[in-house]
Amino acid sequence: MEQELITNLVSVIKREEGLLRDFLDLLESQKQLLVQNKVEEFDQSVLQQEELIQEIKTLEGERIKLVNQIARGMQVEENELTLTRLVEMSLGQVSSELQTAKRSMSQLVERIKRANQVNQYLIKRSLNVSQRSIDLLIDENLRDVVYEQTGKLSGQDRRSMIVNKTL
């Protein structure tokens, strides 16, 4: 019974691994979309990302149920049952599959973290450029502000560049 549960667990982990690979590929494509400033395509990829996250959550729930069942069968606390411990307790082919899955999942999670950090940086950089552009358009005439001793502006037209161009 436990061996069958562990085999099912390996299957769920492999499916979850496939979804994580898809998620990583999506993050990599998002990086290119950010660099190329393709906003509509990026928005579509965010929707795909949300769908993948839902699928991953579903598999995660299945995985947790299986681990709980295995733990009860082995009379072990659920929080003590890790992939490493399962590898140690399993025999033969299932053990090596679990070990491979554990290693692969760890690498995937690390790569996803790095790709996510790069994308966050690109988004922040893009927002900063946009904000500077907006500031430039709004405050162009206030760049070379000269104040009198009374604190009032001297000889400056306080209308923004956008207002000046549209009037």
Side-chain angles (χ1 to χ4, degrees), residues 139-162:
D139 297 332
E140 177 66 24
N141 287 332
L142 297 178
R143 275 189 180 184
D144 298 321
V145 175
V146 178
Y147 291 97
E148 295 178 0
Q149 286 182 338
T150 62
K152 293 184 179 181
L153 289 175
S154 170
Q156 291 290 320
D157 181 9
R158 291 192 53 91
R159 290 180 288 168
S160 71
M161 196 163 117
I162 290 176

Side-chain angles (χ1 to χ4, degrees), residues 3-114:
Q3 199 67 20
E4 182 182 330
L5 288 173
I6 292 173
T7 303
N8 290 341
L9 179 64
V10 170
S11 173
V12 168
I13 289 172
K14 285 182 178 181
R15 290 189 324 208
E16 194 172 357
E17 181 183 345
L19 289 176
L20 287 173
R21 284 187 197 286
D22 293 345
F23 191 79
L24 179 61
D25 291 343
L26 190 57
L27 285 174
E28 292 294 331
S29 70
Q30 284 179 338
K31 179 173 70 173
Q32 293 304 316
L33 294 173
L34 287 168
V35 168
Q36 297 167 358
N37 200 26
K38 294 183 176 178
V39 178
E40 288 88 20
E41 288 100 340
F42 182 80
D43 286 343
Q44 288 300 315
S45 72
V46 169
L47 294 175
Q48 291 173 340
Q49 191 176 28
E50 289 172 357
E51 289 172 10
L52 275 173
I53 288 171
Q54 284 303 97
E55 291 179 46
I56 290 169
K57 282 181 180 180
T58 300
L59 282 178
E60 186 74 11
E62 285 182 42
R63 187 175 63 81
I64 289 170
K65 283 181 189 175
L66 285 168
V67 167
N68 290 342
Q69 290 175 352
I70 293 168
R72 279 193 301 272
M74 300 172 96
Q75 298 175 350
V76 176
E77 290 291 323
E78 288 124 10
N79 60 356
E80 294 176 11
L81 194 60
T82 63
L83 281 178
T84 303
R85 183 136 185 229
L86 280 173
V87 168
E88 293 168 355
M89 298 166 90
S90 299
L91 301 172
Q93 180 71 21
V94 175
S95 178
S96 64
E97 287 182 51
L98 272 174
Q99 192 168 20
T100 302
K102 177 186 178 224
R103 192 176 319 114
S104 180
M105 291 283 277
S106 295
Q107 291 170 350
L108 270 173
V109 168
E110 192 57 40
R111 289 177 62 197
I112 286 171
K113 283 181 184 177
R114 283 194 305 258

